[in-house]
Amino acid sequence: MWNQHTHPLQLTPRQVDDFHQNGYLVVENVLDRKTLDAINAKIDDWVLQSRSRKSNYGRLIDGQPRFDLEPGHNHLRPKLRRVTNPVEISGVIRDTLLGGRIPGLLTGVLGPNIKFDHCKINAKHPGMVSDVKYHQDHI
């Protein structure tokens, strides 16, 4: 589990001000290449697994599907649109979001009282028709 002394990454006062003024912040080099490669490999694996599926699959605790397929998905052109709560099924994603630098960055702009609720991976593969625009769910 994350603690504030693990992998520290300090935001500048300017970055914090920019976040509060603009509602977003771009921080480069938060993740190392090894972590990015591991996350991409996991996503590639899920896309490969989706080839054998004809409809949404996997189940979350509320009964909803974990893996959501884009209309037109098929074996030859897999279109895995969304993975809901990947932290529940991927150690590298769980460790990255809950145990790496990201929680420290969040507390730097939001304060110490943060709580992880859920996450999703929305894929935007070439030829996808679903449009998931930039948005925020909570704040």
Side-chain angles (χ1 to χ4, degrees):
M1 190 49 91
W2 174 81
N3 71 58
Q4 63 184 351
H5 304 292
T6 304
H7 309 290
L9 184 63
Q10 297 292 319
L11 296 175
T12 66
R14 169 74 184 210
Q15 287 174 304
V16 174
D17 289 344
D18 285 350
F19 173 81
H20 290 293
Q21 182 173 351
N22 301 316
Y24 69 92
L25 182 62
V26 175
V27 181
E28 295 184 12
N29 301 314
V30 173
L31 303 179
D32 58 59
R33 174 56 44 198
K34 181 180 174 185
T35 301
L36 287 172
D37 288 346
I39 290 170
N40 284 326
K42 177 46 82 179
I43 293 169
D44 289 345
D45 184 50
W46 287 331
V47 170
L48 183 62
Q49 290 174 25
S50 78
R51 287 178 175 267
S52 66
R53 303 298 182 139
K54 295 187 187 294
S55 62
N56 299 341
Y57 62 100
R59 290 285 166 247
L60 300 167
I61 195 167
D62 66 359
Q64 296 293 317
R66 180 177 306 279
F67 297 95
D68 181 52
L69 304 176
E70 171 93 354
H73 166 88
N74 62 56
H75 176 76
L76 297 175
R77 296 186 63 127
K79 296 181 180 182
L80 178 60
R81 175 173 41 195
R82 183 175 301 112
V83 180
T84 302
N85 262 351
V87 296
E88 295 175 348
I89 57 173
S90 169
V92 67
I93 293 173
R94 180 179 49 255
D95 292 347
T96 300
L97 292 180
L98 302 178
R101 294 174 141 185
I102 293 172
L105 291 172
L106 292 173
T107 60
V109 294
L110 301 175
N113 297 320
I114 62 171
K115 177 184 174 187
F116 179 83
D117 185 62
H118 72 283
C119 63
K120 294 178 185 173
I121 295 173
N122 289 309
K124 298 182 181 194
H125 300 288
M128 302 268 284
V129 295
S130 295
D131 189 16
V132 180
K133 294 185 182 339
Y134 176 80
H135 67 284
Q136 69 182 36
D137 294 320
H138 303 283
I139 290 223

